[in-house]
C-alpha cells in the first residue's frame, strides 16, 4: 500500500529527476526538469508517494468511467475510512481496559475475587472467560486461574511439549474456542463489475441514442424493420459491457487468490514435543508458540517464558513504542511484531475473539495501489482522449453543417434534408445517427482500457510469478523490477543452498579429523561444549521414543551445529535440564554473536557465547586444550587466525564457541535488574571453532551471468567473513577472477560505514562484495546507490533488514528464512530464497513493460487509422465508412481482446539481452513510432482509396448506387478488421523481424485471434442487419485478407528504416518548454 508520507531519506525531487534519468539518455537541463516536475503523470516511484501527488494525477486525468479506471488504484477515501475504523477499535479496547483497571483497583481494596472458571467440554475454562481475560489484560483473573501453569492445565496443554496436535485434539479445540480465521467482506460479484462497466459516459450516451433511434425507427418503419438501427447499437454496447465485465471479473479473482497467499503466514509451533510448521489459520487455543525477533504474534496469548522480550504494538494501539513483556505484563496481542528478545507463548484467543480479528473483519484489507506505469498511461490516455474529443466534435460539427446545408445524401443518392419538407421525426432520427457516430468516435478515440491493460498484464504476471516462486506484495514492484540496474543480494540461502554442515572443527588448537570424532574430547570439554550449544540456541532436537531419526529444527547455522553436537554424543534434553537459563542475548547481526547466562549449580554460573569466529576470537584470553586444561591464547591467536582464513578461503562459514565463568554473587538478584543485565563479552575462553559448508546453489552462476548480460550489476552483501564472501563470489561468478577481487571491489562494512556521504556515493558504484556488513551498512549502500542514479533491488531476511527493504526501489524478502517484519517491509517475497527466482522476477518486470508497449503500439495504430478515415470521409463526403456498431466491434478488438492477447505475452530470453528500461524513458519509443506510422499510413491510404474509388476497383459500377455503397463499406470494414488482426502479430515483436517466434505456444493469443476471425465471419455473413453490412463473395473476402496480409511484409520493410536515438517525444516537448520559458521571463 502506498504510504501517505514522503520518505525523508529520498534525494530531493530535483536530484531524483536528474539522477534517475541515466537509463533514458542524457540528463535533462534545468528547464526540462522543471517541466517534468510539473507533469502530474510523471511519478517515477509510487512506493512512497504523498497523498497530494496521488490526488494530482487523478484530477488531471480525462476519465469516462471513473469506477472502472480507478478500480486498481489506491482508494484514498477507503484508506482514510480504514484508519478511522482502526482508531475506533483501538480506542474502544483502551477504554474497556481503563475501566477494568479502575474496577480492579476498587475490588482490591474490598478484597473481591474473580468469578471461578466455567468448564467447557473437556476444558476447565470457557471461551468467554478466556476472551475477557486476554482482551482486558486482566492479571487478577490470570492469577486466580493459577498463572500460566494453572491456565495451561485448564487447557490441557503441556508447557514443555505443547498440545498433542492430532486431528481429534485440534477439532475439539476449534469447536470449543474457535478457529484462527475471521469473516472477510464479500468480494465484488460479477453483477457489480457489470454495473461498473456500464458507468462509462460514452456508453450511456450511446444507449440513450439507441433508445431514441429504436423509438423513432419503430414509429416510422414499423416494429419489423424499424428496430434494427437502435437495436444493433444497443446490442453492440451490451456486448462491450459484458466482455469488459468478464475480463475485469477474471482479474479480480486473480488478485483475490494472491491476497490469500499473502495472508497465509507459516508459523512454528510446539506440538507433541516437536517443532512443526503450520499455517497461521491452523493455530488453536492451547498451542505453545516460540517467538523470535521479527515474528508476528499469531494470536492472543500469555507469555510462558522469555528473555528481553519486547513487542511493537503500534498496529493495535496506534502508539509507535516498544512494550516489554515479562511475568508482570504477560499479555501478548495478535497482529503485533516481536521487536526484541525471545520467548514462548500460550495461545488463549484466536480469530474473531481477538482485537486483530475484529479489526481485520471490519475493514476491507485491499484498497488498491497504482503503479508508475499506470499513472503514465493515464497521462497518455488523457492526451489521446483530448485529441479524440476534438476530432469527434469536429466531425459532429462538419456532419451537422453538411446535413442542414443539404450536402448529405442517402446511399441511393437522394438528399437527406430539404428545408421545410423533411419531417421533424426524420430530422431527429438523422441527427441521432450523426451524434451516435461522433460519440462512437469518442469511444474508439479515448483509450479507457489503456491504463487497465497494466493491471491486466500485472495480474497475469503475478499469477505466473507464483509458479516461479515469487509472491508480489506491491504491484508497482513488478514493473519497477524491469528498470532495476543493480541487485544487492544476501549470500546465505540466496546464492547458497542454506543446507549447512560442519565439515571442519578445531578444539583449542587441535583439528578434529573427522570433525565428529568425539574420542579425543575430554569430558570437561564435552560438558562445556554441549551445554553451550544446547542452551545458546533457538533450535530444537526431537528424539522420537520409538528410536526413529532425530529431528533438528532451527536456523540453518543452528541446525548444522546441533547436528554436529548430536554426532559428537550430545543429549539435548539432558543438557538443557542440567542448567538454568538466567539471561539470553539473542544473536545480533550488528555484533555478530549471541550469548546466554547459565546457572549450573548454586555456586557455578557460566556465560556462553557463539558467533563470528574472528570477532569472538578477539575477545578470548584463554583456550581449552584437548585435556580440558586452560591455556593462554596469546601465542596461539595467530594460529587460530590462519585456521579461520584458511577455512574462509574455502568458502566455509567460521563460527567460534566460547564461554567464561561468572561469579554467582555478581548476578543481579531481582527480575527487573536481571532483564537489564548486559552479558559481559570479554575475558572469554575459546572452546572451539567450526567451519560450516554451505554450497552454492545449482544454476546460480548462470543466473548471475544472465544478469550481467542484461546490464544488471549483482552485488553481494553478507555478514560473513570477507574471505568467505570473496570465495563464494568467485564461485558464483559475481567476481569474474582473482584479478577482479581487488580492494576497490571488495570492502568491509565497517570501512564503508566510516566514509563520508559523498565518499560512500563514489565508492558504492565500484563495490561488488561487502563482507562483515550489518543491516545498517546495507541501508547506507542502498541509499548511496539510489543517489547515484541506480534503480536498486535488495534482498533481506532479518528484522533489521526492514529499513533497507523499505528504502530500496524493490525490496525482496526471503520466504523461507525471512521474518514477518522483513516480509511486511518488502515488495516481493522470494518463496524459495533462490537468486535464480530473483532473476526471473527481473524477466517478468521487463515483460510487463514490453507487453504494455506492444499494446500501446497496436491500440494507437487502430486509433490513428480509424480517426483519420472517418474524419477525411466525413469532411469530404458527409458520410463515414465505419458506422457506430462497426466502431464498437473494432473498439472491442482493440481494448479488451487486444489487451488480453498482447498484455499476456510470456517473457522471452530476448528481454534479457537489452539494458534495463529507464524509468523516464518515453513509453512510445522511436521504434514504436516508426512501426505505428508505417502501418497507420498503409491502412489509411488503402482504405481511403477504397472509400473514394472502391466502386471502380471492386468492379461494382454495374450495381445500383445503394448496393455498391453497401458492398464497398462492408469491404472497408472487413479489410480494416483484418488489418488489425494481422497487425496484432506485428505488435508482438516491435523490434524483431520474425514476429511469429513462440506464437503457437501462446494459446491465449491464438485463441483470441481465432475468436476474432470467427466472429468477423459471423458478423459479415449473418448479422448484416445489425452491422449495416452485406454478405461478401469469396473474391472480396480474399481481397480483404490480402490487404491485411500485406501488413506482414510491410512491417519487415519498415523495420529496415533507421530511427534517431533522441526520442521523438523530446521534439514535441520543446515547443511547450519554450512557451513556458517565454511566459515566465
Amino acid at each position: 500500500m502506498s504510504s501517505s508520507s514522503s520518505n525523508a531519506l529520498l534525494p530531493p525531487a530535483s536530484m531524483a529527476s536528474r539522477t534517475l534519468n541515466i537509463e533514458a539518455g542524457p540528463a535533462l537541463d534545468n528547464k526540462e526538469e522543471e517541466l517534468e516536475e510539473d507533469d502530474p503523470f510523471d511519478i517515477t516511484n509510487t512506493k512512497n508517494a504523498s497523498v497530494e501527488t496521488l490526488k494530482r494525477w487523478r484530477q488531471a486525468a480525462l476519465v469516462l468511467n471513473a469506477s472502472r479506471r480507478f478500480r486498481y488504484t489506491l482508494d484514498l477515501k477507503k484508506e482514510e475510512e480504514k484508519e478511522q475504523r482502526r482508531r475506533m477499535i483501538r480506542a474502544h479496547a483502551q477504554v474497556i481496559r481503563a475501566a477494568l483497571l479502575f474496577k480492579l483497583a476498587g475490588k482490591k481494596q474490598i478484597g473481591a475475587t474473580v468469578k471461578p472458571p466455567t468448564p467447557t467440554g473437556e476444558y476447565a475454562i470457557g471461551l468467554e472467560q478466556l476472551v475477557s481475560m486476554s482482551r482486558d489484560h486482566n492479571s487478577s483473573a490470570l492469577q486466580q486461574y493459577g498463572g500460566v501453569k494453572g491456565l495451561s492445565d485448564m487447557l490441557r496443554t503441556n508447557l514443555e511439549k505443547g498440545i498433542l496436535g492430532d486431528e481429534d485434539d485440534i477439532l475439539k479445540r476449534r469447536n470449543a474456542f474457535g478457529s484462527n480465521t475471521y469473516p472477510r467482506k464479500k468480494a465484488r460479484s460479477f453483477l457489480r463489475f457489470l454495473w461498473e462497466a456500464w458507468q462509462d459516459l460514452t456508453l450511456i450516451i450511446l444507449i440513450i441514442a439507441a433508445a431514441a433511434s429504436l423509438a423513432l425507427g419503430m414509429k416510422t418503419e414499423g416494429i419489423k424493420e424499424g428496430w434494427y438501427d437502435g437495436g444493433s447499437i444497443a446490442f453492440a454496447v451490451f456486448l462491450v459491457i459484458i466482455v469488459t465485465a468478464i475480463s475485469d471479473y477474471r482479474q479480480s479473482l486473480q488478485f483475490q487468490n494472491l491476497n490469500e497467499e499473502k495472508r497465509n503466514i507459516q508459523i512454528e509451533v510446539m506440538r507433541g514435543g516437536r517443532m512443526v510448521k503450520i499455517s497461521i489459520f491452523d493455530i488453536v487455543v492451547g498451542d505453545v508458540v516460540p517467538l523470535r525477533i521479527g515474528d508476528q504474534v499469531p494470536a492472543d496469548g500469555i507469555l510462558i517464558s522469555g528473555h528481553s522480550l519486547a513487542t511493537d504494538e503500534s498496529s493495535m494501539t496506534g502508539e509507535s513504542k516498544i512494550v516489554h513483556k515479562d511475568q508482570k505484563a504477560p499479555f501478548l496481542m495478535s497482529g503485533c511484531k516481536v521487536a526484541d528478545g525471545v520467548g514462548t507463548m500460550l495461545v488463549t484467543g484466536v480469530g474473531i475473539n481477538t482485537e486483530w480479528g475484529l479489526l481485520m473483519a471490519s475493514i476491507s484489507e485491499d484498497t488498491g495501489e497504482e503503479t508508475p506505469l499506470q499513472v503514465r498511461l493515464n497521462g497518455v490516455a488523457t492526451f489521446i482522449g483530448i485529441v479524440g474529443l476534438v476530432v469527434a466534435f469536429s466531425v459532429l460539427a462538419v456532419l451537422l453543417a453538411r446535413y442542414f446545408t443539404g450536402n448529405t445524401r442517402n446511399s441511393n443518392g437522394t438528399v437527406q434534408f430539404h428545408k421545410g419538407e423533411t419531417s421533424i421525426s426524420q430530422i431527429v432520427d438523422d441527427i441521432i445517427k450523426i451524434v451516435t457516430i461522433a460519440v462512437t468516435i469518442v469511444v474508439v478515440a479515448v483509450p479507457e482500457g489503456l491504463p487497465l491493460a497494466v493491471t491486466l498484464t500485472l495480474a497475469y504476471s503475478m499469477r505466473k510469478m507464483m509458479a516461479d516462486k515469487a509472491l508480489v506484495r506491491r504491484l508497482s514492484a513488478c514493473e519497477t523490477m524491469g528498470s532495476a540496474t543493480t541487485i544487492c543480494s544476501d549470500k546465505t540461502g540466496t546464492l547458497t543452498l542454506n543446507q549447512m554442515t560442519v565439515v571442519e572443527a578445531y578444539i583449542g588448537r587441535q583439528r578434529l579429523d573427522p570433525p565428529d570424532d568425539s574420542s579425543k574430547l575430554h569430558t570437561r570439554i564435552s560438558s562445556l561444549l554441549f551445554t553451550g550449544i544446547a542452551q545458546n540456541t533457538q533450535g530444537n532436537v526431537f528424539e522420537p521414543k520409538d528410536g526413529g531419526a532425530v529431528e533438528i529444527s532451527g536456523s540453518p547455522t543452528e541446525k548444522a551445529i546441533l547436528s554436529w553436537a548430536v554426532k559428537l554424543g550430545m543429549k539435548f534434553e539432558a543438557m538443557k535440564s542440567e542448567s538454568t537459563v538466567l539471561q539470553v542475548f539473542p544473536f545480533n547481526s550488528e555484533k555478530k554473536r549471541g550469548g546466554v547466562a547459565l546457572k549450573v549449580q548454586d555456586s557455578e554460573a557460566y556465560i556462553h557465547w557463539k558467533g563470528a569466529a574472528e570477532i569472538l576470537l578477539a575477545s578470548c584470553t584463554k583456550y581449552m586444550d584437548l585435556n580440558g586444561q586452560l591455556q593462554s591464547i596469546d601465542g596461539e591467536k595467530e594460529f587460530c587466525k590462519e585456521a579461520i582464513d584458511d577455512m574462509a578461503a574455502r568458502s566455509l562459514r567460521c563460527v567460534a564457541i566460547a564461554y567464561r565463568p561468572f561469579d554467582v554473587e555478581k548476578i543481579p538478584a531481582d527480575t527487573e535488574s536481571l532483564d537489564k543485565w548486559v552479558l559481559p563479552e570479554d575475558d572469554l575462553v575459546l572452546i572451539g571453532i567450526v567451519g560450516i559448508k554451505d554450497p552454492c546453489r545449482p544454476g546460480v552462476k548462470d543466473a548471475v551471468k544472465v544478469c550481467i548480460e542484461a546490464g544488471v550489476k549483482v552485488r553481494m552483501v553478507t555478514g560473513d567473513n570477507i574471505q568467505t564472501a570473496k570465495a563464494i563470489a568467485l564461485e558464483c561468478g559475481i567476481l569474474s577472477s582473482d584479478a577482479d577481487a581487488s580492494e576497490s571491489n571488495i570492502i568491509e562494512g565497517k570501512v564503508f560505514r566510516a566514509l563520508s556521504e559523498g565518499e560512500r556515493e563514489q565508492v558504492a558504484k565500484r563495490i561488488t562484495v561487502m563482507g562483515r556488513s550489518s543491516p545498517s551498512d546495507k541501508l547506507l549502500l542502498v541509499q548511496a546507490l539510489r543517489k547515484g542514479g541506480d534503480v536498486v533491488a535488495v534482498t533481506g531476511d532479518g528484522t533489521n533488514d526492514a529499513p533497507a527493504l523499505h528504502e530500496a526501489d524493490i525490496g525482496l524478502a526471503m520466504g523461507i528464512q525471512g521474518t514477518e517484519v522483513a516480509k511486511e517491509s518488502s515488495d516481493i517475497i522470494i518463496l524459495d530464497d533462490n537468486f535464480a527466482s530473483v532473476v526471473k522476477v527481473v524477466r517478468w518486470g521487463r515483460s510487463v513493460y514490453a507487453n504494455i508497449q506492444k499494446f500501446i503500439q497496436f491500440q494507437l495504430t487502430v486509433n490513428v487509422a480509424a480517426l483519420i478515415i472517418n474524419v477525411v470521409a466525413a469532411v469530404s463526403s458527409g458520410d463515414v465508412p465505419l458506422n457506430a456498431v462497426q466502431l464498437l466491434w473494432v473498439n472491442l478488438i482493440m481494448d479488451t481482446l487486444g489487451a488480453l492477447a498482447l498484455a499476456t505475452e510470456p517473457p522471452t530470453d530476448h528481454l534479457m539481452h537489452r539494458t534495463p528500461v529507464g524509468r523516464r524513458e518515453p513509453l512510445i519509443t522511436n521504434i514504436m513510432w516508426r512501426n505505428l506510422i508505417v502501418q497507420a499510413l498503409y491502412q489509411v491510404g488503402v482504405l481511403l482509396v477504397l472509400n473514394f474509388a472502391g466502386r471502380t476497383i471492386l468492379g461494382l459500377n454495374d450495381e445500383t448506387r445503394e448496393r455498391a455503397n453497401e458492398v464497398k463499406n462492408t469491404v472497408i470494414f472487413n479489410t480494416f478488421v483484418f488489418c488489425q488482426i494481422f497487425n496484432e502479430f506485428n505488435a508482438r515483436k516491435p523490434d524483431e523481424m520474425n514476429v511469429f517466434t513462440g506464437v503457437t505456444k501462446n494459446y491465449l493469443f491464438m485463441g483470441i485471434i481465432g475468436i476474432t476471425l470467427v466472429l468477423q465471419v459471423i458478423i459479415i455473413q449473418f448479422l448484416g442487419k445489425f452491422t449495416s453490412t452485406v454478405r461478401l463473395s469469396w473474391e472480396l473476402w480474399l481481397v480483404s485478407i490480402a490487404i491485411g496480409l500485406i501488413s506482414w511484409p510491410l512491417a519487415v520493410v519498415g523495420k529496415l528504416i533507421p530511427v534517431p536515438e533522441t526520442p521523438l517525444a523530446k521534439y514535441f516537448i520543446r515547443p511547450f518548454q519554450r512557451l513556458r520559458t517565454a511566459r515566465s521571463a
Side-chain angles (χ1 to χ4, degrees), residues 476-493:
S476 58
C478 199
E479 66 187 45
T480 308
M481 201 66 184
S483 301
T485 58
T486 186
I487 300 171
C488 298
S489 174
D490 285 337
K491 175 188 76 71
T492 307

Side-chain angles (χ1 to χ4, degrees), residues 48 88 116 635 908 961 1033 1060:
N48 298 307
M88 186 182 75
T908 61
R961 183 184 176 116
S1033 63

Side-chain angles (χ1 to χ4, degrees), residues 414-434:
T414 58
V415 176
Q416 284 187 351
F417 176 78
H418 291 281
K419 193 174 181 181
E421 294 178 23
T422 310
S423 67
I424 297 294
S425 61
Q426 184 61 47
I427 292 170
V428 171
D429 194 30
D430 290 339
I431 289 172
I432 285 172
K433 285 177 181 174
I434 290 170

Side-chain angles (χ1 to χ4, degrees), residues 239 243 889 892-893 897 973 977 1008-1023 1037:
L239 183 65
V243 172
W889 169 234
L892 196 63
I893 295 173
L897 298 178
F973 168 57
V977 169
I1008 286 168
I1009 294 292
I1011 289 167
T1012 310
L1013 279 170
V1014 169
L1015 289 175
Q1016 183 64 15
V1017 170
I1018 292 169
I1019 285 168
I1020 298 295
Q1021 298 299 107
F1022 305 106
L1023 299 177
W1037 271 101

Side-chain angles (χ1 to χ4, degrees), residues 1031-1047:
R1031 290 189 178 190
L1032 296 178
S1033 63
W1034 66 269
E1035 292 96 342
L1036 291 179
W1037 271 101
L1038 285 179
V1039 167
S1040 301
I1041 293 168
I1043 293 171
L1045 195 62
I1046 291 170
S1047 68

Side-chain angles (χ1 to χ4, degrees), residues 713-788:
K713 184 173 176 68
V714 181
R715 293 174 163 89
M716 181 199 287
V717 184
T718 177
D720 267 352
N721 182 307
I722 196 85
Q723 297 300 326
T724 307
K726 178 184 166 183
I728 290 286
L730 284 165
E731 202 175 329
C732 293
I734 293 172
L735 291 171
S736 55
S737 62
D738 282 317
D740 196 27
S742 59
E743 278 187 25
S744 61
N745 292 344
I746 300 176
I747 197 169
E748 276 201 346
K750 63 182 180 184
V751 176
F752 183 71
R753 135 181 24 128
L755 299 172
S756 68
E757 195 173 327
E759 288 171 331
R760 280 201 295 269
E761 207 173 312
Q762 290 176 346
V763 170
K765 281 282 182 190
R766 299 194 300 270
I767 293 172
T768 306
V769 175
M770 185 186 282
R772 280 290 175 241
S773 70
S774 65
S776 60
D777 298 330
K778 188 186 279 187
L779 175 62
L780 289 172
L781 178 63
V782 169
Q783 288 171 340
L785 288 168
R786 289 192 74 211
K787 282 178 185 173

Side-chain angles (χ1 to χ4, degrees), residues 508-509 613-623 631-645 681-686 689:
R509 73 181 311 283
E614 74 273 21
I615 293 174
L616 218 55
L617 181 64
S619 302
C620 292
T621 55
K622 299 183 182 71
Y623 75 93
Q631 307 289 345
S632 172
I633 205 167
D634 292 340
E636 304 298 337
K637 266 197 177 176
E638 201 56 45
F639 169 82
C640 293
K641 283 178 184 173
E642 284 176 12
I644 292 167
D645 286 344
E681 302 173 10
D682 59 340
D683 200 23
L684 303 184
V685 177
L686 180 68
I689 299 169

